[in-house]
Each structure stands twice: as structure tokens, then as C-alpha cells.
Amino acid sequence: MSTYVYGITAGSHPSLPEGMDGVGDPARPVRVIQESGLAAVVSDAPEGLRPKRKDLLAHQNVLAEVGAAGPVLPMRFGSIATDDATVAGVLAERADHYKERLDALAGKVEYNVKASHEEEAVLHRVMAENPEVRALTEANRQAGGGSYQQKLKLGEMVVAAVKSREAEDAAELQHALEPAADAMSAGPESSGWLANLSFLVARESAEMFLTAVEQVRKSHPHLDVRVNGPLPPYSFVDPGPSEPADNTIGSDAGTDAEVDRIQDRMQEPVQE
């Protein structure tokens, strides 16, 4: 049976709580594979696993329990290996790298920040900042709405101005938040968001980071800024040197974008 991998910890990490369950229906018991001074937190992999809310929560709950006792390198939802022996082989081959990453990420969490435009607010801002748009809007108004070509030209100008504003706002958001974080990773582009950024933040600096987010919200009222975290540092786990496909812990249960879409639809952020 395939092996589902939640994360990697030091071999000296405290033992798991008794009776911990993971993904699947029924939920699969969570166990540990020890190798080369490391421990992989795993369970049997359910067949046909997809990123449903129940299983996403189970995955993150396991990581939250493990992470509460010490550093853990979290695997993305759906990380599946052929069997336990494959997992042990990867731990042995990449032991030095994983130990270095555990040291680097100790005491740190991830905050994912997504931003989009508030439609009415950004249109008002575009009008205020662009005299050409204002002039053509007024000319069309005085002409009873304007001709088809005038309306088309205005629409194209507004779209171009909003696109330009999106790029500027994304850069300003990143510039404002990076100083409060140890590292930043840009996530995949996603429909509806002008920015999808993940920040690595020391636990003791979390309040300062969230304060920086609030300052962005106040200075950019035309933005809808959403924060998910603290999370295990998914975006900062470098898998290390590439290995043959049959030796790699990969993702078979949906793309990262698919997982992100479902997490976005969750009613409440999943907290660590």
C-alpha cells in the first residue's frame, strides 16, 4: 500500500499522541518512520484521495500536533510515496539537507497573504489618478453616453489603468510586508487575486507582521487583503537535490492551485 507523508521531523522529536488519525474515510492511523536521525510522520494512503475540506483539515491538524512539539518540515497535501521503504530511502539520501532545513525553520511559521481589488474603490482611484480617463468619461457623459467607439475606448483605458494599478499594488504590498518577515515566496497566480504571497515569520515577530498587514489595509482601502496563518512553512521546504521519480515523495491528490481554491472556500482559516 502507498504511504501518505505529512511531514519530516528530527528523530529525537517527541512521540506522537496516542491514537492520532490522519486523512481518509475511515481516517488512517498516523505513525512514524525512523531513518538516519530523522522521522517521517506518515499513514497509509487512501485510494482516490482528493483535496476535500475534511482531509485538508486532517492533514493540517496532524502537522499542528507535530509542530507544537518542535520543528517539522510540512509536506503539501497529497504527498504520497510508493511504500515505507521509499520514504526511508529518501530520508537516508537527503538526511543532511533535511536536518539543515529543520534548523533553518525552527521557531518560524508561514503567513499566506492574498489581495484583490475592491471593484468600486479601485475604479474611483483610477478615475482620481488618471486625467485622461476622467476627461473621456466627462466627454461621454456630456454626449449622452458617447458613441460605441468612445465607450469602447473608455472601457479599454479603464481596463489598462486597473491592470497597471494591480501591478503597482502587488509590488507595494510585497514591499510593505517583506521587512517584517525572514523570507518571502510568491505563490502561483490565481484567478481573482492580484497578489498571492507567502511570508516566513518568526513566531515572536508574528504580531509585528500582522501590524504591517493592518497598516497596508489602512493605506490601501481599495484592497481586500486576506491572511491565512500561522501555518506550517509549506512554501519554504526545499525538497533538496532532485531524485529519480520513483524515489521522490510527490503529490498525487490534486495540484497546489486546486488545494488553494478549496482552502480559500473554507469558512474559517485553518490555524496552526
Side-chain angles (χ1 to χ4, degrees):
M1 176 175 286
S2 299
T3 302
Y4 186 98
V5 186
Y6 299 87
I8 298 169
T9 70
S12 59
H13 196 89
S15 60
L16 298 175
E18 187 174 348
M20 179 185 290
D21 288 329
V23 299
D25 186 15
R28 272 53 171 180
V30 177
R31 50 193 169 80
V32 169
I33 298 172
Q34 293 271 357
E35 175 62 46
S36 302
L38 295 167
V41 181
V42 305
S43 69
D44 290 343
E47 292 185 7
L49 181 66
R50 302 303 300 170
K52 298 178 181 178
R53 178 183 172 86
K54 174 181 176 294
D55 287 316
L56 285 168
L57 286 170
H59 180 93
Q60 294 196 22
N61 286 339
V62 169
L63 287 172
E65 286 282 352
V66 176
V72 57
L73 301 182
M75 296 295 108
R76 290 278 183 183
F77 177 88
S79 295
I80 297 172
T82 305
D83 51 30
D84 286 9
T86 300
V87 176
V90 172
L91 293 182
E93 291 166 6
R94 304 181 185 177
D96 290 343
H97 173 76
Y98 285 141
K99 290 174 183 176
E100 182 276 328
R101 295 310 298 157
L102 283 167
D103 288 341
L105 297 178
K108 297 175 183 177
V109 293
E110 176 175 332
Y111 284 91
N112 176 254
V113 179
K114 291 185 174 74
S116 62
H117 275 152
E118 296 281 5
E119 185 174 354
E120 289 298 323
V122 75
L123 288 176
H124 283 300
R125 179 153 188 163
V126 163
M127 291 285 289
E129 294 175 342
N130 194 314
E132 289 183 273
V133 172
R134 287 201 310 274
L136 185 54
T137 300
E138 179 61 21
N140 284 1
R141 187 187 67 80
Q142 292 183 3
S147 67
Y148 171 79
Q149 289 299 326
Q150 289 173 319
K151 292 178 181 178
L152 182 62
K153 182 180 179 181
L154 178 59
E156 290 173 345
M157 289 176 64
V158 169
V159 168
V162 169
K163 286 291 185 183
S164 176
R165 186 71 254 172
E166 284 180 353
E168 292 177 17
D169 285 333
E172 290 171 8
L173 177 70
Q174 180 176 334
H175 180 74
L177 299 184
E178 273 192 302
D182 291 348
M184 190 281 297
S185 175
E189 292 186 7
S190 179
S191 176
W193 303 107
L194 62 88
N196 177 15
L197 306 173
S198 289
F199 296 88
L200 185 66
V201 179
R203 289 181 184 275
E204 60 268 23
S205 301
E207 185 175 349
M208 180 177 68
F209 178 81
L210 294 175
T211 297
V213 173
E214 287 304 315
Q215 290 173 344
V216 170
R217 285 177 173 144
K218 291 178 181 178
S219 62
H220 294 67
H222 60 291
L223 287 182
D224 177 12
V225 181
R226 302 187 186 186
V227 181
N228 191 12
L231 300 167
Y234 295 106
S235 302
F236 302 93
V237 180
D238 180 356
S242 61
E243 300 291 341
D246 59 354
N247 285 335
T248 302
I249 300 171
S251 179
D252 293 338
T255 64
D256 289 347
E258 186 177 4
V259 173
D260 285 344
R261 283 196 298 272
I262 292 180
Q263 287 180 324
D264 286 341
R265 292 203 302 268
M266 288 182 175
Q267 294 181 356
E268 299 178 9
V270 178
Q271 299 288 325
E272 186 181 33

